[in-house]
């Protein structure tokens, strides 16, 4: 028997797997009856994805049923079940589906429900959309859930972001007419290798004539760059808002960057004074509503005092409800003044987003490609913008 043959499940195991995939309707055709843990898993799946009659809080048995019921206890039991039987990544997907498919958002206003759920970025987005309606008894629990997600993101993203951007700031500060003690000899020699001259009578030995000196910039003690994060807070951008708030707090903690965070829908809100706590930033947003990118960019443009040392990052799906031509004119004007302008269709791990392709193409024609960016790629994007070099645009996401 080969290793490949050994990996093929026996007929009974294969039927069991098909029964789990196809649900109760396949029980007769597969001839497979589920028991124990399999039956419990099937019941949990059936409560969310089944197509039969609703059986709130059903436990045991293998018949799938649609709906979890409207009571918090039955949903809390179901949440406990799925955390028992499925890994965290699957639990998060099932929670998201339950909120979307079965309209369970209202139950998240109850503290006991919030304590039972698996916290992730998508849950934070849902809580932010509900927080205006939350009773006082729930708000503290909601803040604790949001803070846990934010702290986890900061642990994952902060260190690499600071390291990457500090390196970019150091490189952008290099000078071409340094004093002797500030010369970066390694980079200077490599930049002048084409000027290598052989000394006669030395069997090929020679010297490099340094036509161009490259030096280290002086240790930065003041602000080097201004960064403006301009974030669309319409409902579809929830995950991007969460990540942008975390990155905004990280950037604001760097003394060599002056960071401003602006969120918008049809109105514009400057949350810069709350950047010391991304949780406060998130609860200062209001997910939902329309979009007026032109108005948001007008505000950002009015706050630019050093165009050549400014990076503006627009995070939006580009579904513009304002004046399209004015929006494009503002982007063109900022770029002409020396601003480094970056357009991100999303800042999340959710994959390719929906976006306005016409507006994305128009921005691309201005030399500002619009593309989706994962949180892990964001530090590299910012480093390239700070150094004024081409952005590392992911080819598969680039709509140009």
């Amino acid at each position: 028997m080969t290793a490949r043959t050994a990996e093929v499940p026996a007929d009974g195991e294969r039927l069991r797997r098909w029964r789990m995939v196809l649900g109760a309707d396949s029980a007769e055709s597969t001839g497979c009856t589920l028991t124990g843990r399999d039956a419990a898993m099937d019941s949990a799946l059936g409560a969310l994805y089944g197509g039969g009659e609703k059986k709130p809080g059903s436990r045991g048995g293998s018949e799938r049923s649609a709906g979890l019921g409207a009571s918090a206890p039955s949903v809390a039991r179901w949440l406990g079940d799925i955390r028992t039987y499925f890994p965290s990544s699957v639990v998060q997907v099932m929670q998201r589906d339950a909120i979307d498919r079965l309209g369970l958002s209202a139950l998240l206003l109850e503290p006991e429900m919030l304590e039972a759920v698996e916290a992730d970025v998508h849950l934070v987005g849902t809580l932010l959309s509900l927080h205006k309606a939350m009773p006082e008894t729930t708000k503290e629990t909601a803040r604790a859930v949001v803070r846990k997600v934010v702290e986890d993101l900061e642990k994952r993203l902060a260190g690499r972001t600071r390291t990457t951007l500090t390196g970019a700031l150091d490189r952008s500060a290099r000078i071409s007419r340094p004093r002797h003690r500030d010369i970066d000899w390694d980079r200077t020699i490599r930049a002048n290798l084409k000027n290598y001259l052989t000394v006669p009578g030395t069997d090929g030995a020679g010297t490099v004539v340094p036509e161009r000196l490259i030096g280290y910039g002086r240790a930065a003690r003041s602000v080097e760059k201004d960064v403006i994060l301009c974030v669309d807070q319409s409902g579809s951008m929830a995950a991007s808002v969460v990540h942008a708030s975390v990155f905004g707090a990280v950037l604001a903690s760097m003394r060599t960057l002056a960071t401003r965070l602006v969120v918008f829908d049809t109105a514009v809100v400057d949350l810069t004074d709350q950047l010391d706590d991304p949780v406060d930033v998130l609860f200062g947003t209001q997910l939902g509503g329309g979009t007026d990118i032109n108005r948001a960019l007008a505000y950002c443009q009015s706050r630019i005092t050093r165009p050549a040392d400014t990076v503006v990052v627009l995070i939006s799906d580009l579904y513009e409800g304002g004046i399209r031509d004015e929006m494009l004119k503002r982007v063109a004007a900022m770029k002409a003044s020396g601003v480094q302008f970056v357009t991100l269709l999303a800042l999340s791990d959710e994959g390719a987003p929906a976006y306005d392709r016409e507006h994305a193409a128009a921005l691309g024609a201005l030399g500002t490609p619009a593309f989706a960016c994962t949180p892990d790629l964001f530090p590299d994007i910012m480093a390239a913008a700070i150094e004024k070099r081409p952005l590392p645009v992911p080819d598969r996401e680039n709509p140009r």
Side-chain angles (χ1 to χ4, degrees):
M1 179 181 294
T2 65
R4 180 176 178 83
T5 303
E7 292 173 358
V8 177
D11 287 346
E13 175 62 13
R14 186 184 297 110
L15 289 174
R16 168 187 166 275
R17 294 182 183 182
W18 276 113
R19 168 63 182 82
M20 292 292 290
V21 170
L22 298 175
D25 292 341
S26 69
E28 183 175 347
S29 59
T30 60
C32 180
T33 301
L34 300 179
T35 59
R37 184 181 180 88
D38 287 348
M41 292 173 66
D42 187 64
S43 179
L45 289 166
L48 178 56
Y49 301 112
E53 181 183 355
K54 291 187 178 182
K55 296 186 177 182
S58 175
R59 301 170 67 87
S62 60
E63 182 178 357
R64 291 196 181 188
S65 57
L68 298 173
S71 70
S74 66
V75 178
R77 286 195 300 270
W78 179 79
L79 288 169
D81 285 346
I82 64 175
R83 293 174 75 171
T84 298
Y85 301 125
F86 302 100
S88 177
S89 59
V90 175
V91 169
Q92 291 171 7
V93 171
M94 293 178 72
Q95 286 179 172
R96 200 181 319 154
D97 287 347
I99 292 169
D100 294 340
R101 292 163 59 98
L102 304 179
L104 300 182
S105 297
L107 290 177
L108 293 178
L109 302 180
E110 302 182 23
E112 61 270 24
M113 284 296 302
L114 284 180
E115 292 171 355
V117 295
E118 186 84 16
D120 68 344
V121 169
H122 304 284
L123 178 64
V124 169
T126 301
L127 292 178
L128 295 179
S129 68
L130 295 172
H131 80 272
K132 297 294 184 184
M134 282 183 182
E136 290 300 322
T137 54
T138 306
K139 286 183 177 178
E140 284 306 310
T141 306
R143 287 185 71 88
V145 171
V146 173
R147 187 168 297 283
K148 178 182 183 301
V149 174
V150 166
E151 288 176 350
D152 288 345
L153 285 174
E154 283 186 306
K155 288 177 184 176
R156 179 166 71 90
L157 302 172
R160 181 169 176 270
T161 299
R162 292 192 184 98
T163 299
T164 301
L165 297 193
T166 298
L169 289 163
D170 287 345
R171 289 188 293 272
S172 68
R174 294 184 189 277
I175 53 179
S176 58
R177 298 181 64 183
R179 291 179 293 186
H180 186 272
R181 65 182 179 183
D182 292 329
I183 295 174
D184 182 342
W185 286 108
D186 181 61
R187 287 173 59 89
T188 295
I189 291 171
R190 283 189 282 122
N192 289 279
L193 285 175
K194 62 183 178 179
N195 302 320
Y196 182 83
L197 297 179
T198 301
V199 177
T202 60
D203 294 327
T207 185
V208 173
V209 179
E211 291 183 354
R212 183 166 68 93
L213 298 177
I214 300 176
Y216 297 107
R218 293 301 224 161
R221 298 182 182 277
S222 59
V223 172
E224 294 274 332
K225 298 286 182 179
D226 297 335
V227 175
I228 302 177
L229 301 179
C230 185
V231 186
D232 185 341
Q233 63 173 350
S234 57
S236 60
M237 300 296 294
S240 296
V241 170
V242 175
H243 287 111
S245 298
V246 172
F247 277 118
V250 173
L251 298 182
S253 71
M254 300 178 65
R255 290 184 300 173
T256 50
L257 294 176
T259 303
R260 182 178 295 274
L261 177 64
V262 176
V263 298
F264 67 93
D265 40 38
T266 53
V268 180
V269 180
D270 193 326
L271 297 176
T272 303
D273 60 351
Q274 299 179 42
L275 276 176
D276 58 332
D277 187 344
V279 176
D280 287 341
V281 169
L282 288 170
F283 278 96
T285 63
Q286 185 171 340
L287 294 175
T291 308
D292 193 337
I293 302 173
N294 177 56
R295 175 177 291 186
L297 291 181
Y299 177 83
C300 294
Q301 191 176 23
S302 71
R303 295 300 184 269
I304 296 173
T305 58
R306 305 187 305 157
D309 293 315
T310 299
V311 178
V312 174
V313 182
L314 171 64
I315 304 174
S316 172
D317 55 17
L318 301 180
Y319 288 110
E320 171 65 317
I323 306 173
R324 174 185 184 274
D325 290 342
E326 287 297 315
M327 174 189 76
L328 296 174
K329 286 179 181 177
R330 290 192 190 282
V331 174
M334 281 188 269
K335 286 181 61 65
S337 69
V339 171
Q340 296 298 111
F341 196 93
V342 179
T343 305
L344 301 181
L345 301 171
L347 179 55
S348 72
D349 289 311
E350 295 180 316
Y355 62 93
D356 190 306
R357 294 180 180 274
E358 183 179 348
H359 289 162
L363 288 169
L366 294 175
T368 304
F371 57 96
C373 173
T374 65
D376 289 335
L377 181 61
F378 185 74
D380 297 325
I381 297 293
M382 290 301 299
I386 285 171
E387 294 182 67
K388 300 184 179 181
R389 54 182 171 83
L391 302 180
V393 179
D395 290 338
R396 71 180 186 276
E397 299 285 353
N398 189 354
R400 287 181 297 176

